[in-house]
Amino acid sequence: MNYEKMLELAELAAKNAYVPYSEFPVGACVLCESGNTYAGCNFENSSYGLTICAERNAVGTAIANGERKIKAIAIFSPNKKNCTPCGACRQVLSEFQSDEGLDVILQGDEGIKVTPLKVLLPDCFEL
Ligand code: THU
């Protein structure tokens, strides 16, 4: 699947975000080595720290479907261009990046922006 279509799926997922506290919807779509894609949105909780980011929701759905290698993730927020993944999500993504790495796809100021995860998270923690 091409990166434009993935951003569209992320945009669609953001419409389901549950964000009564921040009013900051985010959608994400991961592309796995199988060729399958999985979308996720953020969902918040009155106990704020329990909030789950869109990226981790999408990764969790991929894992629950038996996937283990992720090639790319598209992230979209209607509130903000260049909506980069938070530090925690970068670390979670690093766990499942494909052998060729993982592309992070964002809606930039002038079209799609693609950045390798290793640029966003150099020297990630590994056991
Ligand atoms: N959020 C994400 O979904 N992904 C990120 O990478 C950063 C933040 C969500 C969490 C919360 O629901 C809202 O954005 C504001 O922080």
Side-chain angles (χ1 to χ4, degrees):
M1 178 179 294
N2 70 44
Y3 287 176
E4 284 84 1
K5 180 73 189 160
M6 284 178 66
L7 260 183
E8 283 174 27
L9 292 175
E11 182 173 5
L12 206 61
K15 294 184 192 303
N16 289 327
Y18 175 74
V19 288
Y21 307 106
S22 73
E23 296 183 348
F24 192 90
V26 183
C29 174
V30 294
L31 171 66
C32 299
E33 246 172 33
S34 63
N36 294 330
T37 56
Y38 302 90
C41 59
N42 53 336
F43 60 99
E44 300 181 343
N45 192 274
S46 56
S47 178
Y48 295 166
L50 299 181
T51 289
I52 302 291
C53 291
E55 297 90 326
R56 275 178 288 154
N57 190 2
V59 169
T61 302
I63 296 307
N65 280 277
E67 307 286 357
R68 289 295 182 269
K69 299 274 188 184
I70 298 176
K71 288 162 70 90
I73 183 168
I75 305 162
F76 181 91
S77 173
N79 292 21
K80 189 176 186 280
K81 287 192 171 158
N82 282 303
C83 186
T84 57
C86 75
C89 288
R90 293 177 196 201
Q91 178 65 29
V92 168
L93 286 165
S94 75
E95 183 82 21
F96 300 110
Q97 62 189 320
S98 76
D99 297 342
E100 292 76 41
L102 190 161
D103 279 343
V104 177
I105 305 153
L106 304 177
Q107 184 68 60
D109 293 321
E110 288 144 30
I112 285 185
K113 189 174 156 192
V114 182
T115 312
L117 179 65
K118 66 174 186 292
V119 172
L120 296 178
L121 184 67
D123 223 1
C124 67
F125 178 77
E126 282 176 299
L127 286 177

